[in-house]
Amino acid sequence: WSIKFSNSPSIPVNFTTSDLPIVSINTYGLLIPDEPKIYAFMSIIDNPSGVNALTDTPTFTSHIGIETRGNSSQGVVKKSYGLTTQDGFGTDVNVSIFGMPAEEDWVLIANYNDKTLFRNAMAYEMARRTGRYASRTQFCEVFINNQYRGVYHFGEKIKRDNERVDIAKLEPTEISGENLTGGYILKIDKEDPGGEPGFISPYQPVNHPNGQVTKYLYVYPDAIDIVVEQKNYIESYVVGNFENALNSSQFTDPTLGYRPYMDEASFMDYFLINEIGKNVDGYRISTYLHKDKNGEIVMGPVWDFDLAFHNADYC
Protein backbone atom coordinates (compact mmCIF):
# COMPACT_ATOMS: atom_id res chain seq x y z
CA TRP A 1 0.00 0.00 0.00
CA SER A 2 1.03 3.60 -0.38
CA ILE A 3 -0.02 7.12 0.49
CA LYS A 4 0.00 9.80 -2.17
CA PHE A 5 -0.17 13.50 -1.33
CA SER A 6 -1.51 15.75 -4.07
CA ASN A 7 -3.52 18.86 -4.76
CA SER A 8 -6.44 16.76 -6.01
CA PRO A 9 -8.14 15.28 -2.95
CA SER A 10 -10.27 12.17 -3.16
CA ILE A 11 -13.94 12.61 -3.98
CA PRO A 12 -16.37 11.38 -1.30
CA VAL A 13 -18.07 8.12 -2.22
CA ASN A 14 -21.85 8.43 -2.52
CA PHE A 15 -23.73 5.91 -0.39
CA THR A 16 -25.80 3.56 -2.57
CA THR A 17 -25.97 0.07 -1.06
CA SER A 18 -24.85 -1.80 2.04
CA ASP A 19 -24.69 -5.34 3.37
CA LEU A 20 -26.03 -3.88 6.63
CA PRO A 21 -29.66 -2.88 7.23
CA ILE A 22 -30.40 0.81 6.65
CA VAL A 23 -32.21 2.74 9.40
CA SER A 24 -33.65 6.11 8.30
CA ILE A 25 -35.10 8.58 10.80
CA ASN A 26 -37.09 11.67 9.84
CA THR A 27 -37.46 14.32 12.56
CA TYR A 28 -39.19 16.75 10.19
CA GLY A 29 -36.39 19.26 10.58
CA LEU A 30 -36.24 19.25 14.38
CA LEU A 31 -32.96 18.85 16.28
CA ILE A 32 -32.91 15.82 18.59
CA PRO A 33 -32.59 17.01 22.22
CA ASP A 34 -31.27 15.24 25.32
CA GLU A 35 -34.77 15.33 26.83
CA PRO A 36 -37.65 15.05 26.21
CA LYS A 37 -38.18 12.76 23.24
CA ILE A 38 -39.47 14.38 20.07
CA TYR A 39 -41.80 12.87 17.48
CA ALA A 40 -40.13 11.27 14.46
CA PHE A 41 -40.65 8.51 11.90
CA MET A 42 -38.35 5.52 11.38
CA SER A 43 -38.05 3.20 8.41
CA ILE A 44 -35.78 0.18 8.07
CA ILE A 45 -34.58 -1.53 4.90
CA ASP A 46 -33.46 -5.08 5.68
CA ASN A 47 -33.85 -7.24 2.60
CA PRO A 48 -33.67 -11.05 2.73
CA SER A 49 -31.01 -10.89 0.00
CA GLY A 50 -28.67 -9.11 2.40
CA VAL A 51 -28.12 -6.21 0.00
CA ASN A 52 -29.90 -2.99 0.95
CA ALA A 53 -30.26 0.18 -1.12
CA LEU A 54 -31.64 3.56 -0.16
CA THR A 55 -34.16 3.30 -3.00
CA ASP A 56 -35.60 -0.03 -1.74
CA THR A 57 -39.03 -0.29 -0.15
CA PRO A 58 -38.75 -0.29 3.67
CA THR A 59 -39.32 -3.64 5.34
CA PHE A 60 -40.34 -1.96 8.63
CA THR A 61 -41.78 1.44 9.56
CA SER A 62 -42.87 3.00 12.83
CA HIS A 63 -43.63 6.30 14.49
CA ILE A 64 -41.09 6.90 17.26
CA GLY A 65 -40.10 9.23 20.06
CA ILE A 66 -36.34 9.93 20.02
CA GLU A 67 -33.76 11.71 22.20
CA THR A 68 -29.98 11.71 22.56
CA ARG A 69 -28.57 9.50 25.34
CA GLY A 70 -25.41 8.93 27.36
CA ASN A 71 -23.23 10.96 29.73
CA SER A 72 -19.79 11.75 28.31
CA SER A 73 -20.98 10.61 24.87
CA GLN A 74 -23.32 13.62 24.75
CA GLY A 75 -20.27 15.74 23.94
CA VAL A 76 -19.12 13.87 20.81
CA VAL A 77 -20.17 14.64 17.24
CA LYS A 78 -21.66 11.22 16.56
CA LYS A 79 -24.55 11.00 19.03
CA SER A 80 -26.19 7.93 20.52
CA TYR A 81 -29.98 7.84 20.73
CA GLY A 82 -32.78 6.35 22.77
CA LEU A 83 -36.03 5.72 20.97
CA THR A 84 -39.52 4.44 21.73
CA THR A 85 -41.75 2.83 19.10
CA GLN A 86 -45.22 4.36 18.94
CA ASP A 87 -48.45 4.28 17.00
CA GLY A 88 -49.76 7.24 15.03
CA PHE A 89 -51.35 8.73 18.17
CA GLY A 90 -48.11 8.79 20.18
CA THR A 91 -48.95 5.73 22.29
CA ASP A 92 -45.99 3.45 23.02
CA VAL A 93 -46.29 0.04 21.32
CA ASN A 94 -44.25 -3.15 21.58
CA VAL A 95 -42.81 -4.30 18.25
CA SER A 96 -40.22 -6.84 17.16
CA ILE A 97 -37.26 -5.32 15.31
CA PHE A 98 -34.49 -7.37 13.68
CA GLY A 99 -36.07 -10.49 15.17
CA MET A 100 -35.59 -9.30 18.74
CA PRO A 101 -38.42 -9.90 21.25
CA ALA A 102 -41.17 -7.29 21.00
CA GLU A 103 -40.61 -4.19 23.14
CA GLU A 104 -41.03 -0.43 22.92
CA ASP A 105 -37.67 0.89 24.22
CA TRP A 106 -34.57 0.70 22.01
CA VAL A 107 -31.14 2.31 21.63
CA LEU A 108 -28.96 3.37 18.71
CA ILE A 109 -25.38 3.25 19.99
CA ALA A 110 -22.78 5.27 18.07
CA ASN A 111 -19.64 3.55 19.45
CA TYR A 112 -17.86 6.82 18.60
CA ASN A 113 -14.86 6.15 20.88
CA ASP A 114 -14.40 2.66 19.46
CA LYS A 115 -13.22 2.91 15.87
CA THR A 116 -13.67 -0.85 15.42
CA LEU A 117 -17.35 -0.29 16.39
CA PHE A 118 -17.24 -3.83 17.74
CA ARG A 119 -16.29 -3.86 21.41
CA ASN A 120 -19.80 -3.49 22.88
CA ALA A 121 -21.30 -6.17 20.68
CA MET A 122 -18.42 -8.54 21.48
CA ALA A 123 -18.75 -8.07 25.27
CA TYR A 124 -22.52 -8.65 25.10
CA GLU A 125 -22.00 -11.82 23.09
CA MET A 126 -19.47 -13.04 25.67
CA ALA A 127 -22.03 -12.43 28.42
CA ARG A 128 -24.76 -14.31 26.55
CA ARG A 129 -22.41 -17.28 26.18
CA THR A 130 -22.18 -17.47 29.97
CA GLY A 131 -25.96 -17.86 30.01
CA ARG A 132 -26.61 -14.30 31.19
CA TYR A 133 -28.88 -11.77 29.53
CA ALA A 134 -27.15 -8.98 27.58
CA SER A 135 -28.60 -6.49 25.14
CA ARG A 136 -29.21 -8.01 21.70
CA THR A 137 -27.72 -5.88 18.93
CA GLN A 138 -27.75 -5.43 15.16
CA PHE A 139 -25.24 -3.35 13.22
CA CYS A 140 -26.86 -0.93 10.79
CA GLU A 141 -26.31 2.16 8.62
CA VAL A 142 -28.09 5.25 10.00
CA PHE A 143 -29.50 8.23 8.15
CA ILE A 144 -31.15 11.15 9.97
CA ASN A 145 -33.11 13.61 7.83
CA ASN A 146 -31.44 12.13 4.74
CA GLN A 147 -27.94 12.75 6.10
CA TYR A 148 -25.66 9.75 6.57
CA ARG A 149 -24.56 9.42 10.23
CA GLY A 150 -22.49 6.23 10.05
CA VAL A 151 -22.57 2.66 11.31
CA TYR A 152 -24.44 2.17 14.60
CA HIS A 153 -25.64 -0.77 16.56
CA PHE A 154 -29.37 -1.00 17.14
CA GLY A 155 -30.07 -2.73 20.43
CA GLU A 156 -32.22 -3.35 23.45
CA LYS A 157 -32.38 -0.79 26.24
CA ILE A 158 -31.73 -2.36 29.65
CA LYS A 159 -35.09 -2.57 31.42
CA ARG A 160 -37.37 -4.90 33.34
CA ASP A 161 -39.02 -7.27 30.89
CA ASN A 162 -39.58 -11.02 30.63
CA GLU A 163 -37.17 -11.08 27.67
CA ARG A 164 -34.64 -8.63 29.13
CA VAL A 165 -33.99 -8.28 32.87
CA ASP A 166 -36.51 -10.88 33.98
CA ILE A 167 -37.52 -9.77 37.46
CA ALA A 168 -40.89 -9.22 39.14
CA LYS A 169 -42.88 -6.08 38.41
CA LEU A 170 -42.92 -3.69 41.37
CA GLU A 171 -45.94 -1.42 41.78
CA PRO A 172 -45.90 1.81 43.84
CA THR A 173 -48.49 0.22 46.15
CA GLU A 174 -46.15 -2.67 47.08
CA ILE A 175 -44.59 -1.22 50.21
CA SER A 176 -44.45 -4.05 52.74
CA GLY A 177 -43.73 -7.73 53.25
CA GLU A 178 -42.68 -9.99 50.40
CA ASN A 179 -44.01 -7.57 47.80
CA LEU A 180 -41.43 -4.97 48.82
CA THR A 181 -38.46 -7.27 48.14
CA GLY A 182 -38.41 -6.95 44.36
CA GLY A 183 -37.81 -6.43 41.63
CA TYR A 184 -35.23 -3.67 41.49
CA ILE A 185 -32.61 -2.57 38.97
CA LEU A 186 -29.81 -0.26 40.12
CA LYS A 187 -26.88 1.28 38.29
CA ILE A 188 -23.53 2.46 39.67
CA ASP A 189 -22.80 5.53 37.59
CA LYS A 190 -22.32 9.26 37.44
CA GLU A 191 -25.31 11.11 38.80
CA ASP A 192 -28.06 11.67 36.24
CA PRO A 193 -28.68 15.44 36.02
CA GLY A 194 -32.33 14.75 35.22
CA GLY A 195 -33.03 12.40 38.10
CA GLU A 196 -32.52 11.81 41.79
CA PRO A 197 -29.05 10.69 42.88
CA GLY A 198 -30.30 7.44 44.38
CA PHE A 199 -28.03 6.72 47.32
CA ILE A 200 -24.32 6.78 48.08
CA SER A 201 -22.30 3.95 49.59
CA PRO A 202 -20.63 4.86 52.90
CA TYR A 203 -17.57 2.93 51.71
CA GLN A 204 -15.28 4.86 49.37
CA PRO A 205 -13.34 3.02 46.66
CA VAL A 206 -9.85 1.84 47.66
CA ASN A 207 -8.38 4.47 45.34
CA HIS A 208 -10.25 7.81 45.56
CA PRO A 209 -7.71 10.64 45.10
CA ASN A 210 -10.47 13.06 44.09
CA GLY A 211 -12.96 12.03 46.75
CA GLN A 212 -14.81 9.60 44.49
CA VAL A 213 -17.80 7.78 45.93
CA THR A 214 -19.98 4.92 44.72
CA LYS A 215 -23.39 6.19 43.62
CA TYR A 216 -26.32 3.84 43.13
CA LEU A 217 -28.95 5.23 40.74
CA TYR A 218 -32.53 4.00 40.46
CA VAL A 219 -33.26 2.33 37.12
CA TYR A 220 -36.33 0.27 38.02
CA PRO A 221 -38.45 1.61 39.50
CA ASP A 222 -36.96 4.86 38.19
CA ALA A 223 -36.40 7.99 40.26
CA ILE A 224 -39.87 9.30 39.41
CA ASP A 225 -41.85 6.14 40.21
CA ILE A 226 -40.01 4.65 43.17
CA VAL A 227 -41.68 5.40 46.52
CA VAL A 228 -40.05 6.09 49.90
CA GLU A 229 -40.59 2.60 51.31
CA GLN A 230 -38.96 1.03 48.26
CA LYS A 231 -36.02 3.45 48.42
CA ASN A 232 -35.50 2.62 52.08
CA TYR A 233 -35.72 -1.11 51.47
CA ILE A 234 -33.25 -1.38 48.60
CA GLU A 235 -30.73 0.98 50.23
CA SER A 236 -30.96 -0.99 53.46
CA TYR A 237 -30.48 -4.28 51.60
CA VAL A 238 -27.51 -3.10 49.50
CA VAL A 239 -25.71 -1.03 52.13
CA GLY A 240 -27.10 -2.12 55.49
CA ASN A 241 -26.97 -5.82 54.70
CA PHE A 242 -24.68 -6.62 51.78
CA GLU A 243 -21.98 -3.91 51.96
CA ASN A 244 -21.78 -3.95 55.74
CA ALA A 245 -21.37 -7.75 55.70
CA LEU A 246 -18.82 -7.55 52.88
CA ASN A 247 -16.77 -4.99 54.82
CA SER A 248 -16.93 -6.76 58.16
CA SER A 249 -14.19 -8.92 59.64
CA GLN A 250 -16.57 -11.89 59.25
CA PHE A 251 -17.16 -11.35 55.54
CA THR A 252 -16.24 -14.98 54.71
CA ASP A 253 -18.68 -16.44 57.22
CA PRO A 254 -21.43 -18.31 55.30
CA THR A 255 -24.12 -16.84 57.54
CA LEU A 256 -22.75 -13.51 58.82
CA GLY A 257 -20.81 -12.60 55.67
CA TYR A 258 -21.84 -11.57 52.15
CA ARG A 259 -23.11 -14.93 50.86
CA PRO A 260 -26.77 -14.61 51.94
CA TYR A 261 -27.09 -11.37 49.95
CA MET A 262 -25.39 -12.01 46.58
CA ASP A 263 -25.62 -14.42 43.67
CA GLU A 264 -21.96 -15.44 43.62
CA ALA A 265 -21.98 -17.00 40.15
CA SER A 266 -23.31 -13.79 38.60
CA PHE A 267 -20.50 -11.80 40.23
CA MET A 268 -17.93 -14.28 38.91
CA ASP A 269 -19.26 -14.05 35.34
CA TYR A 270 -19.45 -10.26 35.53
CA PHE A 271 -15.92 -9.91 36.90
CA LEU A 272 -14.45 -12.30 34.33
CA ILE A 273 -15.93 -10.41 31.37
CA ASN A 274 -14.82 -7.02 32.71
CA GLU A 275 -11.31 -8.28 33.54
CA ILE A 276 -10.84 -10.11 30.23
CA GLY A 277 -12.03 -6.94 28.50
CA LYS A 278 -9.82 -4.66 30.65
CA ASN A 279 -12.89 -2.44 30.94
CA VAL A 280 -11.75 0.94 32.29
CA ASP A 281 -15.37 1.79 33.15
CA GLY A 282 -15.91 -1.53 34.91
CA TYR A 283 -17.40 -1.44 38.43
CA ARG A 284 -17.29 2.38 38.74
CA ILE A 285 -19.76 3.54 36.05
CA SER A 286 -22.28 1.90 33.70
CA THR A 287 -22.48 -0.98 36.19
CA TYR A 288 -25.90 -2.62 36.54
CA LEU A 289 -27.18 -4.94 39.24
CA HIS A 290 -30.66 -6.22 39.99
CA LYS A 291 -32.68 -8.03 42.63
CA ASP A 292 -35.79 -10.14 42.13
CA LYS A 293 -38.56 -10.67 44.66
CA ASN A 294 -37.15 -12.66 47.60
CA GLY A 295 -33.89 -12.84 45.65
CA GLU A 296 -30.23 -11.95 46.13
CA ILE A 297 -28.25 -9.22 44.36
CA VAL A 298 -27.39 -10.31 40.82
CA MET A 299 -24.66 -8.51 38.87
CA GLY A 300 -25.41 -7.30 35.35
CA PRO A 301 -26.32 -6.97 32.61
CA VAL A 302 -22.90 -5.95 31.27
CA TRP A 303 -22.94 -2.59 29.52
CA ASP A 304 -20.67 0.02 27.93
CA PHE A 305 -17.46 -1.60 26.68
CA ASP A 306 -16.49 0.94 24.00
CA LEU A 307 -13.33 1.85 25.96
CA ALA A 308 -12.51 -1.75 26.91
CA PHE A 309 -10.20 -4.27 25.23
CA HIS A 310 -7.14 -1.98 25.39
CA ASN A 311 -8.88 1.11 24.00
CA ALA A 312 -7.78 3.40 26.88
CA ASP A 313 -4.60 4.02 28.84
CA TYR A 314 -6.03 4.75 32.31
CA CYS A 315 -7.72 2.78 35.12
Side-chain angles (χ1 to χ4, degrees):
W1 58 272
S2 65
I3 298 175
K4 180 180 179 181
F5 297 92
S6 82
N7 294 323
S8 301
S10 300
I11 299 172
V13 176
N14 290 326
F15 186 102
T16 54
T17 63
S18 177
D19 295 336
L20 296 176
I22 300 171
V23 176
S24 296
I25 295 172
N26 185 354
T27 69
Y28 303 99
L30 294 177
L31 296 176
I32 303 174
D34 180 11
E35 285 184 347
K37 290 185 174 74
I38 61 167
Y39 170 79
F41 189 81
M42 179 175 69
S43 62
I44 297 176
I45 299 169
D46 186 17
N47 295 318
S49 66
V51 179
N52 304 291
L54 282 171
T55 54
D56 291 342
T57 301
T59 53
F60 175 86
T61 61
S62 177
H63 301 274
I64 62 171
I66 186 170
E67 64 187 1
T68 58
R69 58 164 286 120
N71 285 316
S72 58
S73 61
Q74 292 274 5
V76 302
V77 294
K78 185 184 178 188
K79 307 294 186 186
S80 292
Y81 302 99
L83 59 94
T84 303
T85 47
Q86 302 174 338
D87 62 18
F89 300 99
T91 302
D92 298 347
V93 292
N94 292 335
V95 296
S96 175
I97 303 177
F98 297 125
M100 301 176 197
E103 242 292 349
E104 63 188 34
D105 289 313
W106 308 90
V107 293
L108 274 170
I109 302 298
N111 293 309
Y112 176 78
N113 291 316
D114 174 12
K115 304 315 177 190
T116 72
L117 307 175
F118 196 70
R119 286 173 167 87
N120 274 318
M122 181 165 64
Y124 302 165
E125 174 64 16
M126 289 171 62
R128 283 192 291 272
R129 293 193 186 196
T130 71
R132 306 287 171 186
Y133 166 76
S135 176
R136 302 171 183 91
T137 61
Q138 169 65 54
F139 286 102
C140 58
E141 312 273 9
V142 172
F143 285 78
I144 298 179
N145 296 330
N146 297 318
Q147 291 187 331
Y148 181 60
R149 296 300 181 91
V151 173
Y152 279 68
H153 85 229
F154 187 102
E156 297 173 321
K157 177 183 177 180
I158 291 179
K159 65 178 294 187
R160 191 212 70 82
D161 185 278
N162 292 343
E163 298 292 341
R164 296 189 185 180
V165 181
D166 188 11
I167 57 175
K169 192 172 183 178
L170 184 61
E171 301 287 357
T173 55
E174 296 182 285
I175 57 174
S176 63
E178 180 181 331
N179 288 336
L180 184 59
T181 65
Y184 296 91
I185 304 175
L186 299 173
K187 179 170 68 165
I188 297 173
D189 209 339
K190 302 170 186 175
E191 186 174 332
D192 182 0
E196 295 186 26
F199 56 93
I200 296 175
S201 169
Y203 301 101
Q204 285 186 293
V206 174
N207 298 306
H208 53 279
N210 298 311
Q212 293 96 331
V213 296
T214 299
K215 297 180 180 179
Y216 291 91
L217 306 183
Y218 305 120
V219 177
Y220 179 82
D222 63 22
I224 295 175
D225 295 328
I226 192 167
V227 298
V228 172
E229 291 84 354
Q230 294 164 355
K231 291 180 183 179
N232 292 340
Y233 171 81
I234 193 61
E235 180 175 357
S236 176
Y237 190 93
V238 172
V239 175
N241 293 338
F242 174 55
E243 287 199 345
N244 283 346
L246 190 63
N247 282 273
S248 76
S249 59
Q250 297 172 305
F251 75 96
T252 59
D253 187 280
T255 303
L256 302 177
Y258 63 81
R259 284 182 174 85
Y261 307 110
M262 64 177 274
D263 181 317
E264 288 182 271
S266 73
F267 277 71
M268 293 176 191
D269 290 341
Y270 192 90
F271 274 53
L272 284 170
I273 292 169
N274 275 273
E275 292 300 318
I276 291 169
K278 286 189 173 290
N279 186 13
V280 300
D281 289 338
Y283 322 126
R284 63 191 188 95
I285 58 176
S286 299
T287 296
Y288 286 87
L289 54 152
H290 56 280
K291 181 187 181 302
D292 205 354
K293 200 176 296 292
N294 287 327
E296 302 167 332
I297 297 171
V298 178
M299 283 300 298
V302 297
W303 188 253
D304 195 6
F305 276 68
D306 62 328
L307 294 176
F309 298 103
H310 216 2
N311 195 28
D313 61 357
Y314 57 91
C315 289

